[in-house]
Amino acid sequence: MKVVAADYGDSTANSSQKYWNKVVRAFEAKNSGLKVDVKVYSWTEVDRRVAEMVKNGQAPDIAQIGAYADYAAQGKLYRADEMLSIPTQAGFITSIAQAGEVRRVQYGVPFVASARLLFYNKKLFDRAGISSAPTSWAELKEAAVRLKANGVKIPYGLPLGPEECQAETMMWMLSGGGGYTDPNGSYTIDSTENIEAFEWLRDELVGADLTGPGSPARTNRQDTFDAFARGEVGMLNGHPTLMQQASGHGIAYGTAPLPGRRGKSPSTMGVADWLMAFKQNGHRKEIGKFLDFVYTENNVLDFVTEYDLLPVTTAVEQTMRGDREYKRLWRFLDELESAEFYPADKTSWAEVSKLIKQKIGSTVAKGGDPASVLGQIQREADAMENAGA
């Protein structure tokens, strides 16, 4: 079996290849006659590599990447119930498993998850006389003003650059009572709530010079994380991996639920990465046997522990909640229960996400027009949906 997976490490020392090699050795020792070849690529190239393999008629048996819906729509994937055992399928956290469905049929098998929280630098907060994390937009602005007055270079880190601005965008939409889609799955990109969220960002944060030097439209997430690890950022939205980076640089940080328009945000953003299995080579039973092994409790726990990520299985979630070693992740686990995910079940989502990366940064520039930009993205998204993109 050929497997292509994404690399969650940031150096050869913690490359995901090591994890997969260990899993494969253990699997092959228990299943003589079955061989598994895993190739790990960076996140910047893994989706493209898989797309090229599929296009050339050389699809891997299993791919662990960011999106599955386009392959499912083309009829190239096995359904989850065609390959996984019943205990494995029943073991996933329900909200995450449902995010892997296309028209109520599960094709995307969740691999790991994360949720987003507000991170803040405790030392900078103390110096500025801020006693607790903000719970509303007004409190967030007030904290940013105090941080700036106290000489903080970047009071609030707002990465709307092309690396992952679709995430920051979704968090601000959710915190304003909006989102990318309504409960029926229709795009609501230019809803009143979403427009007002970006008008607030434009006028109250960026326009008030509270997001630091440089344009948010050219600021990538990793730039902001790196600046936080250098002690230059007062607060930003982050995921669990930022904890390792901050701690590694001696930054004392706190985490809190995302602030919302008038109090705590109704929900936060959850992200899941996906495993999918291609039909091309006909290895349905073998794929199922390998995935059942991948999802055993020890293997899942090893991976999420290595990278400070969240598990997608109920058993490992319970294990982590019962062990104080994982206390730093409990707040993320709490948020995951009500988290909303990208509309990854929509075949148009990959293209809509690209549009957001190209255009969203302009909404918060001086003279930016959120209603116009979000309206344009909405029209193009609707056209893709109607065309069955």
Side-chain angles (χ1 to χ4, degrees):
M1 282 175 286
K2 292 201 180 304
V3 180
V4 173
D7 196 352
Y8 290 76
D10 55 13
S11 67
T12 48
N14 68 348
S15 166
S16 300
Q17 190 72 56
K18 287 186 174 179
Y19 167 83
W20 285 108
N21 291 347
K22 182 181 166 192
V23 169
V24 166
R25 278 197 303 273
F27 175 75
E28 289 178 350
K30 286 186 172 183
N31 296 274
S32 60
L34 290 182
K35 295 287 175 196
V36 184
D37 173 40
V38 182
K39 283 202 166 43
V40 168
Y41 296 103
S42 74
W43 271 111
T44 54
E45 61 176 336
V46 69
D47 286 347
R48 177 177 54 79
R49 293 269 190 172
V50 172
E52 285 170 358
M53 292 168 79
V54 173
K55 189 179 174 186
N56 295 334
Q58 299 170 334
D61 293 289
I62 298 167
Q64 186 267 301
I65 52 179
Y68 58 86
D70 45 350
Y71 297 123
Q74 294 162 27
K76 294 182 184 296
L77 302 181
Y78 288 117
R79 300 192 315 264
D81 64 359
E82 289 180 302
M83 48 187 184
L84 300 176
S85 68
I86 290 170
T88 300
Q89 217 183 338
F92 293 117
I93 295 167
T94 308
S95 64
I96 305 176
Q98 284 174 345
E101 294 177 355
V102 175
R103 296 183 187 89
R104 309 215 170 177
V105 178
Q106 188 183 353
Y107 293 94
V109 181
F111 180 60
V112 286
S114 74
R116 299 297 203 264
L117 289 172
L118 182 77
F119 280 69
Y120 59 95
N121 183 313
K122 286 183 171 179
K123 194 171 170 185
L124 299 181
F125 265 49
D126 287 346
R127 277 191 200 153
I130 307 165
S131 58
S132 59
T135 60
S136 67
W137 290 356
E139 288 179 9
L140 184 138
K141 183 184 178 180
E142 186 186 336
V145 167
R146 285 197 186 188
L147 290 162
K148 186 186 176 191
N150 211 56
V152 175
K153 186 176 178 184
I154 304 169
Y156 180 84
L158 183 67
L160 292 177
E163 182 195 352
E164 206 204 28
C165 61
Q166 76 278 13
E168 189 76 13
T169 296
M170 184 171 173
M171 285 181 271
W172 280 98
M173 286 178 170
L174 291 172
S175 69
Y180 283 131
T181 56
D182 64 19
N184 298 320
S186 300
Y187 282 119
T188 53
I189 293 163
D190 64 349
S191 70
T192 304
E193 292 86 353
N194 292 343
I195 291 167
E196 287 177 353
F198 280 87
E199 288 173 344
W200 189 88
L201 278 174
R202 179 195 64 195
D203 299 339
E204 304 297 328
L205 280 192
V206 182
D209 197 24
L210 297 172
T211 55
S215 162
R218 289 192 292 277
T219 304
N220 281 326
R221 182 195 65 181
Q222 196 57 53
D223 302 332
T224 315
F225 279 19
D226 292 346
F228 188 77
R230 292 194 299 268
E232 296 171 359
V233 179
M235 50 190 165
L236 77 170
N237 293 335
H239 55 62
T241 309
L242 180 56
M243 294 191 296
Q244 277 189 355
Q245 192 178 350
S247 298
H249 288 79
I251 300 295
Y253 65 88
T255 58
L258 300 187
R261 183 186 292 276
R262 292 181 189 84
K264 178 178 175 279
S265 175
S267 61
T268 188
M269 185 183 85
V271 176
D273 298 327
W274 305 97
L275 276 170
M276 60 214 70
F278 288 88
K279 293 176 179 176
Q280 186 183 322
N281 304 315
H283 295 154
R284 181 176 65 84
K285 283 185 180 169
E286 295 84 356
I287 289 167
K289 191 169 270 197
F290 182 61
L291 291 184
D292 283 342
F293 184 76
V294 166
Y295 284 103
T296 54
E297 188 169 339
N298 284 346
N299 286 334
V300 174
L301 193 57
D302 281 354
F303 194 87
V304 294
T305 301
E306 174 69 32
Y307 300 110
D308 261 349
L309 289 160
L310 303 183
V312 294
T313 64
T314 312
V316 175
E317 182 193 11
Q318 288 168 351
T319 297
M320 291 174 86
R321 284 189 183 281
D323 186 340
R324 294 194 70 78
E325 183 193 335
Y326 298 102
K327 187 168 186 268
R328 67 194 181 285
L329 290 168
W330 290 352
R331 184 169 247 160
F332 288 94
L333 289 170
D334 290 343
E335 291 295 315
L336 192 62
E337 289 176 12
S338 63
E340 292 200 26
F341 294 82
Y342 290 134
D345 58 324
K346 296 170 93 56
T347 53
S348 58
W349 171 242
E351 289 303 314
V352 171
S353 181
K354 271 189 211 167
L355 274 177
I356 292 161
K357 289 181 179 185
Q358 290 162 13
K359 298 178 186 297
I360 201 70
S362 68
T363 60
V364 298
K366 189 174 182 182
D369 187 348
S372 171
V373 174
L374 293 175
Q376 188 185 354
I377 298 172
Q378 176 77 39
R379 286 191 297 279
E380 293 194 42
D382 285 341
M384 284 183 233
E385 279 290 283
N386 295 333

